[in-house]
């Protein structure tokens, strides 16, 4: 069974690498459908048990989940846009912290000054790219994850064959 999982992971990794935008859309559809189903289930549970106080929460959560699920189905690239933008903001904040720390390193005549300067600039550029062009950032990150999953899966398959 674990060999089957390894092969499935390798296939998912290849899909991530070959068609990252398609994979992001597929995941968005899957999450959207799941949220729609759970939302409908909650609304139906409310309609069957209206007299219980807890069911009002089911109705509210059900409607919210239904709306979010519908939104993800109608806007499947939203997930691919929002996650990289949030990561971009975090990277920009991190880069600013690094660049502010440079003055301290310069005063101490530290050897780490140049490394911190370069890494701060690189992190700032990556953060800006992710913030203003999130979809391309998502595709690149998705492809990198795909390669890592394929490498892991191949190593796992080789390890299982060796143990047999």
């Amino acid at each position: 069974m674990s060999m089957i999982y390894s092969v499935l992971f390798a296939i998912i990794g290849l899909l991530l690498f070959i068609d990252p935008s398609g994979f992001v859309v597929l995941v968005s559809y899957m999450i959207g459908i799941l949220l729609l189903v759970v939302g409908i289930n909650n609304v139906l549970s409310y309609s069957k048990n209206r007299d219980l106080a807890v069911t009002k929460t089911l109705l509210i959560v059900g409607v919210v989940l239904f709306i979010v699920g519908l939104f993800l189905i109608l806007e499947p690239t939203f997930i691919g846009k929002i996650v990289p933008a949030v990561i971009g903001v975090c990277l920009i904040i991190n880069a600013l912290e690094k660049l502010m720390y440079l003055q301290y390193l310069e005063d101490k005549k530290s050897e780490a000054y140049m490394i911190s300067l370069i890494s701060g600039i690189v992190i700032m550029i990556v953060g800006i790219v992710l913030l203003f062009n999130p979809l391309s950032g998502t595709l690149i990150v998705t492809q990198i994850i795909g390669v890592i999953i394929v490498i892991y899966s191949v190593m796992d398959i080789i390890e299982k064959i060796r143990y047999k």
Side-chain angles (χ1 to χ4, degrees):
M1 202 58 194
S2 63
M3 184 70 89
I4 293 171
Y5 288 138
S6 295
V7 171
L8 287 175
F9 275 128
I11 292 168
I12 290 171
L14 284 172
L15 289 174
L16 284 169
F17 180 74
I18 293 169
D19 188 14
S21 61
F23 193 82
V24 169
V25 168
L26 176 68
V27 168
S28 184
Y29 284 143
M30 290 170 49
I31 293 172
I33 289 169
L34 177 68
L35 292 177
L36 281 175
V37 169
V38 172
I40 290 170
N41 186 41
N42 283 2
V43 171
L44 291 176
S45 294
Y46 167 78
S47 66
K48 290 178 183 175
N49 302 310
R50 287 185 184 201
D51 53 338
L52 299 175
V54 176
T55 58
K56 290 180 182 175
T57 305
L58 282 176
L59 176 64
I60 294 168
V61 170
V63 170
V64 169
L65 290 177
F66 183 84
I67 290 169
V68 171
L70 191 60
F71 176 76
L72 289 177
I73 290 171
L74 296 175
E75 278 294 324
T77 59
F78 177 75
I79 289 177
K81 291 177 185 173
I82 193 72
V83 171
V86 170
I87 292 171
V89 169
C90 292
L91 289 176
I92 290 170
I93 291 169
N94 182 270
L96 290 173
E97 289 173 351
K98 279 186 178 298
L99 294 173
M100 289 188 312
Y101 186 64
L102 285 175
Q103 184 64 43
Y104 172 78
L105 292 175
E106 186 177 45
D107 291 344
K108 297 292 181 184
K109 307 285 189 235
S110 174
E111 297 173 5
Y113 177 83
M114 191 54 70
I115 294 170
S116 291
L117 175 65
I118 293 169
S119 68
I121 292 170
V122 168
I123 291 171
M124 178 69 75
I125 291 169
V126 170
I128 290 170
V129 167
L130 286 176
L131 183 62
F132 292 107
N133 195 359
L135 197 54
S136 69
T138 301
L139 300 181
I140 292 168
V141 170
T142 305
Q143 285 182 313
I144 292 170
I145 291 170
V147 169
I148 291 169
I149 290 173
V150 169
I151 291 170
Y152 165 77
S153 299
V154 169
M155 289 172 45
D156 196 43
I157 291 169
I158 291 170
E159 183 178 307
K160 285 175 179 47
I161 291 171
R162 287 186 66 207
Y163 281 138
K164 280 191 173 189

